[in-house]
Amino acid sequence: MNTNKKNTLFLIIISIIPLISSILFIFIDYSHFFKRSVSISCMSHYSAPLLPGNISIRSNITIDLRKNNTGSLYISGILEKKQGDTEQSKTSSAILREIEFDYSIEDNGFISIYNTEVYHLASDKISDDFFNSNVFDLSLPNRKIKIKKINNSWLLSSPFSPIMMCVNKN
């Protein structure tokens, strides 16, 4: 090979190296978009101060999405029903639920939740219909939720509107 061909080959190789490096950087930096699972553990406060029937809810929600495509949603809170005009006329009930589920990563930041199992702790007397209507709807066999990382928290939303901001526990 003459010197001219060697120089040309050398320049081609040198020019390809930054391109390969850039591609590797993109895959390393954005690898969480290509994985088919995530690892999220965060907490959120949920409040519904004025529901139909003079009912209000205050609760804490913990969300765990594990790398094995399983997840948990823990909800603990108080449902209060105002019977009259005074504070003494309030009745309260505990909301204590653990929801186990499987999930899969979909396109555009969505996860699909399915195979849900709901566990009511002993003092949770809230009906499933009320829970599905006012806290978290589990009546469908498959539920899609969009997740987006914002600093040290996650924004969870339906396809139409935000549901909650969940702050990392770590």
Side-chain angles (χ1 to χ4, degrees), residues 13-145:
I13 291 173
I14 292 298
S15 62
I16 290 176
I17 289 175
L19 177 65
I20 292 172
S21 298
S22 298
I23 291 171
L24 286 176
F25 175 76
I26 289 170
F27 278 107
I28 291 169
D29 192 41
Y30 296 104
S31 62
H32 59 278
F33 289 112
F34 300 108
K35 291 180 185 174
R36 301 318 289 169
S37 66
V38 292
S39 179
I40 297 173
S41 184
C42 60
M43 294 182 73
S44 180
H45 179 74
Y46 174 77
S47 179
L50 188 57
L51 295 172
N54 287 330
I55 294 173
S56 64
I57 298 173
R58 291 183 326 268
S59 66
N60 291 313
I61 299 175
T62 301
I63 298 169
D64 289 313
L65 297 177
R66 296 177 282 279
K67 289 186 179 189
N68 64 355
N69 292 93
T70 62
S72 302
L73 185 70
Y74 305 95
I75 300 172
S76 63
I78 300 290
L79 178 139
E80 292 179 331
K81 183 170 184 169
K82 194 172 181 182
Q83 304 285 344
D85 293 335
T86 65
E87 284 295 313
Q88 290 80 17
S89 63
K90 280 185 181 178
T91 58
S92 62
S93 304
I95 302 173
L96 294 167
R97 296 195 184 189
E98 177 181 348
I99 301 157
E100 295 287 331
F101 54 86
D102 295 327
Y103 75 90
S104 61
I105 303 288
E106 306 290 332
D107 293 332
N108 299 323
F110 281 92
I111 63 168
S112 182
I113 294 175
Y114 54 94
N115 294 336
T116 56
E117 293 288 332
V118 179
Y119 302 98
H120 302 254
L121 281 82
S123 59
D124 185 338
K125 305 293 185 213
I126 308 301
S127 75
D128 287 338
D129 287 338
F130 182 87
F131 184 85
N132 288 340
S133 296
N134 297 292
V135 182
F136 195 80
D137 188 6
L138 296 168
S139 62
L140 301 172
N142 189 336
R143 168 111 188 205
K144 290 193 185 292
I145 295 177

